Amino acid sequence: MKVADGFWLSKQGYNVNYASQAYKVETTENSIKVLATPYTVLNRGMTLGGPNLEITYSSTSENIIKVHIDHYRGGLDNIPRYELNEDTGYTPEITRTEDKVTLKSGDTRVEIKIADDWEVQYYYKDKLLTGGAWRSTSIINESQYTANARMNTQEDDQFFNYPQDPHTTYLREQLKTDIGECIYGFGEKFTPFVKNGQTVETWNCDGGTCSDQSYKTVPFYISSKSYGVLVNSSDKVSFEVMSDTVSKVTFTVPGEELEYFIIGGENLEHVLENYTTLTGKPALPPAYSFGLWLSTSFTTSYDEKTVNSFIDGMAERKIPLQVFHFDCFWMKGYEWCNFEWDDEMFPDPEGMLKRLHDKGLEICVWINSYIAQQSKLFDIGKEKGYFIKNLDGSVFQCDMWQPGMAIVDFTNPEACAWFKGLLKKLFDMGVNNIKTDFGERIPTKVKYYDGSDPIKMHNYYTYLYNKCVFEALEEYYGKDKACLFARSATVGGQKFPVHWGGDCYAEYSAMSETLRGGLSLCSSGFGFFSHDMGGFEATAPADVYKRWCAFGLLSTHSRLHGSTSYRVPWAYDKDGDTEACDVLRHYTVLKGKMMPYLWAQANKTHQVGVPMMRSMIIAFSDDTACKYLDQQYMLGDNLCIVPVMNEEGIAEFYVPDCGTWTDIQSGETYEGGKYYTRKCDYFQTPILARPNSIVTYGNFDAEGKMNVLYDYLQDAEAVVYGLEDGKTATATIYDQESNKLTDIAATRYGDKVTVSYTATDKSFKITVAGKTVEAAAGTTSVDITL
């Protein structure tokens, strides 16, 4: 929200009052309370007016500073609140001197100047992170004339644009940035990865991947200086990222209160660990979900015969398939959602699902939270009061997707129980996963069962929707066995994985958009990410399809899905050419072999909160070159992935300066701290192993089943890459249920490498510099001479 007219003036119709003096500073056992005045109070007569701001600094978790700003405190308590893990008993260290007061939480602290000049600074240890001084914290009053004029000219579309904003008061914070500092995050943003210079508004929209709109908005950003900022509001938060005052990140919220958190850390991985401690760690998806998913696609026509032709076709071509997904038309048209199979296309759904399970497949079906008027559930929901209502008490309905559709009100506990009951019937049939589509087109001129503010519910709705479905899966299948395929999200949505990137076009530019969106989302606390391999809209050329298959199978989750055409690989092979099938098989098998490594990394993401798929700057916070990289990423701790996204087959990438990296496929080595250009065929996507690391590969085809659920230790191979003298590389291997099987550590002393591991009843191999030895069952170490 740009209010400034240059630096000195404000736009006509806006009056801005800045916190200018910490007029009164009080400390309690766990907080600092400041009465901030808009001018320096020189005498008692100047206390007769305002507007004043009441600011409380506290901490409810280590290394997180909480800032709460009030103008008026007499508002309604009808605001949906993010579910945060706050420890109200946590006691930070508070000290006061003559000129400043300090609150210290772990290694993160805030210092507030006690003087006539406003100044607040945030530090991690001795490093200044950010802060504000003159013209930073402010209250903005919009004149009624300006407000009326704005509302008379503002298009009011409850779904695609922002609703008319009735507020005339806004609270704003401006946090300074350093020279060369880069800002990332804000949820899934398809705009340039570095957000400097952008205006970002958190308002969930169904806008595809080629615009500045987002399916998943998160009012949280991270900085290349290794700190994060969460604005604790589900309203439309407007961020000006060095685009209003070019040396500051400005965020503005409508209304009378503003709350945000400053999150410190040793590096960006530590910052995200702290952030997910506050907002929730990603749940652990079941191990099978890391295999290949195949979809019926969206508007295509299909029945059981069609489904079997896909599944049998994959088997005939020896392409391992793990999950089969039924998209929208598993239900009859005009009846979405009725949670009933189209009996004309699927006369025996229970039998069909059993037959698919017998082939070793898990099953996913599409849903959303909209109930069409033709659905037999509409009258039930209307009678019971399970839908969002208009202001006059009637059911909100529209034709924007399904004719006459209503929207389930998840603030109503009975509606949640009803929705879960509908899902349970599907689980009883054999459905294992749910694709929770939509959740962005949520109206604002409505009322909810619990009286929640409807504007603030627009973004928050998706949290309740996905939470309800995830809980239903978890209640039925158990902890660590629940898996969504969700499109919309907000703060805390990472607790309900997996999320995919929405409707992308079938071209290279959309691959790049998708990667930027995924890296931004994973910079916002989300641990797992997928996308529509081959692109959703239109049909990709074989060239794009093959490159996207590599990219998709080198993401955490991998799904073939499209709109008006199928995504089976033989559809892209012409005149006897089978290369699309060969490429898909190559990367599917490779991912299957990598399961011991990938599964260990998934467990770390769940336990710690560091995203499994992460940008280079998150992994290498001290490497300046990594600040701007958005066409490559780390998959777990030890593998750098460089998707090829051009017809020429050229991969351009940077190798971080931490030793010599190794391509796990070709064996080529790359000295760190340099940029490289490499021409790649479809089987040569660069996959670079970090120096001083271990990547474990499993015996994927142990029983000829090519199933990602196998013994991750027996006959596995732990490959040690780029081990330097005096260094140690480590790895952990878990079974499918996340029970630790062994810890491996390899240490080099000159030409000798000693590899130690926890004794097990299984045997596996260890490879260092091309030399392979067996770690026999019951042993605990081996030595390898280079």
Side-chain angles (χ1 to χ4, degrees):
M1 179 178 174
K2 292 185 178 181
V3 173
D5 179 9
F7 182 66
W8 303 108
L9 304 177
S10 297
K11 290 182 179 179
Q12 186 175 2
Y14 291 93
N15 181 43
V16 182
N17 282 279
Y18 295 92
S20 299
Q21 179 188 32
Y23 176 75
K24 183 166 63 175
V25 179
E26 300 177 333
T27 60
T28 68
E29 183 182 11
N30 55 11
S31 69
I32 301 170
K33 296 181 181 295
V34 176
L35 179 63
T37 56
Y39 42 73
T40 300
V41 177
L42 301 177
N43 56 66
R44 294 175 64 183
M46 296 179 69
T47 65
L48 299 179
N52 292 343
L53 296 176
E54 300 173 4
I55 308 176
T56 302
Y57 301 87
S58 62
S59 177
T60 53
S61 185
E62 188 173 278
N63 284 310
I64 300 178
I65 307 296
K66 179 178 181 178
V67 183
H68 186 92
I69 305 173
D70 284 313
H71 177 224
Y72 295 154
R73 289 190 280 110
L76 297 175
D77 187 17
N78 66 341
I79 300 173
R81 305 284 184 178
Y82 294 129
E83 295 181 356
L84 304 181
N85 301 313
E86 295 191 84
D87 179 4
T88 56
Y90 180 80
T91 304
E93 178 184 338
I94 298 175
T95 57
R96 181 167 181 163
T97 64
E98 183 177 345
D99 59 349
K100 70 179 179 181
V101 58
T102 302
L103 183 147
K104 185 172 183 290
S105 174
D107 290 316
T108 306
R109 72 182 188 276
V110 57
E111 295 183 356
I112 303 150
K113 186 177 179 181
I114 303 175
D116 292 345
D117 298 325
W118 181 257
E119 184 176 294
V120 179
Q121 308 280 18
Y122 299 92
Y123 295 85
Y124 183 81
K125 296 182 177 178
D126 293 329
K127 180 174 72 173
L128 175 63
L129 301 177
T130 185
W134 182 61
R135 304 187 74 170
S136 55
T137 309
S138 60
I139 180 170
I140 300 168
N141 294 110
E142 182 181 38
S143 72
Q144 195 61 55
Y145 175 83
T146 302
N148 291 339
R150 171 175 54 78
M151 294 183 71
N152 287 334
T153 59
Q154 180 180 353
E155 183 180 359
D156 185 16
D157 187 317
Q158 296 198 61
F159 295 111
F160 297 116
N161 301 313
Y162 307 130
Q164 290 184 341
D165 183 357
H167 292 89
T168 58
T169 302
Y170 304 84
L171 293 183
R172 183 179 68 176
E173 182 64 281
Q174 294 182 293
L175 298 176
K176 63 184 178 183
T177 58
D178 206 350
I179 297 171
E181 183 174 350
C182 292
I183 302 298
Y184 319 91
F186 301 106
E188 182 185 57
K189 300 298 293 182
F190 304 106
T191 55
F193 177 57
V194 177
K195 298 302 183 287
N196 297 23
Q198 297 182 37
T199 297
V200 179
E201 293 183 315
T202 57
W203 192 258
N204 285 358
C205 298
D206 177 6
T209 68
C210 60
S211 74
D212 63 349
Q213 295 182 358
S214 302
Y215 301 103
K216 311 168 187 69
T217 58
V218 180
F220 170 72
Y221 66 86
I222 56 175
S223 162
S224 58
K225 289 183 66 177
S226 292
Y227 68 90
V229 178
L230 168 66
V231 179
N232 188 20
S233 172
S234 62
D235 208 327
K236 180 172 72 97
V237 183
S238 180
F239 293 88
E240 298 294 338
V241 188
M242 308 179 210
S243 52
D244 185 8
T245 302
V246 297
S247 61
K248 296 178 181 180
V249 174
T250 302
F251 45 91
T252 308
V253 298
E256 305 290 344
E257 70 170 342
L258 166 62
E259 183 171 281
Y260 65 94
F261 297 84
I262 301 290
I263 303 170
E266 195 67 34
N267 50 43
L268 281 176
E269 291 186 0
H270 189 204
V271 170
L272 288 172
E273 178 181 348
N274 292 333
Y275 171 74
T276 53
T277 295
L278 178 65
T279 60
K281 303 294 182 186
L284 180 65
Y288 71 75
S289 70
F290 290 83
L292 178 62
W293 297 46
L294 176 62
S295 162
T296 58
S297 292
F298 167 43
T299 59
T300 47
S301 177
Y302 63 92
D303 54 14
E304 184 174 359
K305 181 179 178 181
T306 309
V307 168
N308 280 316
S309 73
F310 294 161
I311 294 168
D312 294 342
M314 298 286 275
E316 289 165 6
R317 293 164 176 83
K318 296 187 180 348
I319 301 172
L321 186 62
Q322 203 72 39
V323 182
F324 192 83
H325 168 68
F326 291 84
D327 216 55
C328 311
F329 283 99
W330 68 274
M331 295 177 282
K332 287 183 177 179
Y334 292 131
E335 296 185 18
W336 305 341
C337 286
N338 61 11
F339 298 88
E340 290 186 350
W341 293 83
D342 182 344
D343 55 7
E344 296 178 9
M345 304 299 284
F346 304 101
D348 179 24
E350 293 92 338
M352 177 185 66
L353 296 184
K354 183 181 185 304
R355 290 186 285 274
L356 294 180
H357 280 301
D358 289 343
K359 292 183 178 184
L361 295 171
E362 311 296 335
I363 305 300
C364 178
V365 298
W366 173 97
I367 69 164
N368 61 26
S369 60
Y370 309 152
I371 308 296
Q373 189 164 285
Q374 284 290 304
S375 169
K376 72 173 190 178
L377 300 176
F378 181 86
D379 289 338
I380 297 173
K382 175 185 175 183
E383 178 186 350
K384 299 287 188 180
Y386 293 161
F387 298 143
I388 296 172
K389 295 180 179 180
N390 291 310
L391 298 180
D392 65 3
S394 61
V395 173
F396 170 86
Q397 291 182 261
C398 72
D399 296 329
M400 189 67 68
W401 179 241
Q402 287 286 281
M405 61 168 241
I407 303 177
V408 177
D409 182 351
F410 291 103
T411 71
N412 183 342
E414 292 185 6
C416 292
W418 176 62
F419 204 77
K420 287 181 179 180
L422 298 169
L423 294 172
K424 184 178 182 300
K425 292 179 181 179
L426 296 176
F427 305 155
D428 288 338
M429 288 184 180
V431 172
N432 309 89
N433 308 277
I434 299 293
K435 173 182 172 179
T436 49
D437 205 354
F438 288 84
E440 310 92 357
R441 294 176 175 175
I442 304 302
T444 55
K445 291 182 178 179
V446 292
K447 62 180 180 180
Y448 285 85
Y449 171 84
D450 71 348
S452 289
D453 182 311
I455 292 179
K456 294 176 175 60
M457 274 296 299
H458 173 86
N459 289 336
Y460 193 69
Y461 180 88
T462 176
Y463 181 84
L464 299 180
Y465 164 36
N466 283 291
K467 179 183 179 183
C468 179
V469 179
F470 191 85
E471 286 179 347
L473 281 161
E474 202 169 53
E475 289 163 7
Y476 191 92
Y477 287 107
K479 189 176 184 301
D480 299 337
K481 299 298 181 184
C483 182
L484 301 182
F485 222 83
R487 190 173 77 172
S488 59
T490 188
V491 174
Q494 69 270 9
K495 295 183 289 186
F496 319 125
V498 172
H499 294 82
W500 101 96
D503 298 346
C504 48
Y505 206 78
E507 61 187 14
Y508 278 123
S509 63
M511 283 181 67
S512 180
E513 296 160 7
T514 294
L515 178 53
R516 291 196 301 271
L519 294 181
S520 292
L521 183 68
C522 292
S523 299
S524 308
F526 286 70
F528 307 98
F529 179 69
S530 186
H531 40 92
D532 291 342
M533 292 160 55
F536 177 73
E537 297 289 356
T539 300
D543 173 63
V544 172
Y545 178 83
K546 288 180 282 189
R547 294 298 187 190
W548 210 317
C549 284
F551 171 35
L553 283 155
L554 293 169
S555 302
T556 72
H557 288 75
S558 312
R559 184 184 69 159
L560 290 162
H561 179 66
S563 178
T564 56
S565 60
Y566 300 125
R567 293 294 182 261
V568 289
W570 52 90
Y572 296 83
D573 288 333
K574 307 295 182 184
D575 302 322
D577 178 10
T578 63
E579 192 171 46
C581 292
D582 296 339
V583 169
L584 181 63
R585 181 190 312 107
H586 174 82
Y587 288 103
T588 305
V589 171
L590 177 60
K591 189 176 187 185
K593 290 179 178 178
M594 289 165 54
M595 274 301 294
Y597 167 77
L598 296 173
W599 186 234
Q601 295 298 316
N603 274 268
K604 177 179 178 180
T605 291
H606 168 57
Q607 295 161 6
V608 178
V610 176
M612 187 172 170
M613 184 172 170
R614 66 196 78 151
S615 67
M616 302 303 293
I617 187 60
I618 290 176
F620 299 94
S621 298
D622 294 330
D623 192 327
T624 299
C626 290
K627 295 196 313 189
Y628 307 98
L629 300 178
D630 63 0
Q631 298 301 296
Q632 62 186 86
Y633 57 93
M634 294 298 293
L635 185 60
D637 294 331
N638 300 328
L639 292 178
C640 175
I641 311 298
V642 187
V644 179
M645 293 186 277
N646 55 74
E647 293 180 358
E648 296 74 24
I650 302 298
E652 295 181 317
F653 54 95
Y654 171 77
V655 177
D657 189 11
C658 59
T660 301
W661 294 63
T662 306
D663 189 307
I664 69 169
Q665 297 196 95
S666 68
E668 294 177 78
T669 57
Y670 297 87
E671 182 183 347
K674 296 182 178 181
Y675 290 87
Y676 294 88
T677 299
R678 192 178 105 187
K679 186 172 178 59
C680 307
D681 67 27
Y682 295 110
F683 303 92
Q684 295 175 333
T685 299
I687 310 171
L688 310 181
R690 188 175 188 161
N692 303 300
S693 71
I694 298 175
V695 177
T696 306
Y697 306 90
N699 188 12
F700 177 46
D701 195 22
E703 301 176 5
K705 295 180 180 179
M706 302 287 270
N707 187 307
V708 296
L709 299 180
Y710 62 95
D711 190 326
Y712 296 148
L713 183 56
Q714 182 64 46
D715 299 323
E717 182 181 13
V719 181
V720 184
Y721 291 102
L723 189 60
E724 299 167 331
D725 192 16
K727 297 291 182 67
T728 298
T730 63
T732 299
I733 300 178
Y734 296 88
D735 68 13
Q736 302 164 22
E737 304 301 320
S738 299
N739 300 304
K740 186 183 293 186
L741 297 175
T742 191
D743 288 311
I744 305 172
T747 304
R748 179 175 177 177
Y749 301 101
D751 293 336
K752 179 182 177 182
V753 175
T754 297
V755 184
S756 58
Y757 41 88
T758 311
T760 75
D761 60 354
K762 304 178 187 298
S763 60
F764 58 98
K765 296 184 286 292
I766 298 168
T767 298
V768 184
K771 295 189 175 183
T772 302
V773 299
E774 183 176 358
T779 63
T780 58
S781 67
V782 295
D783 290 330
I784 301 174
T785 301
L786 304 180

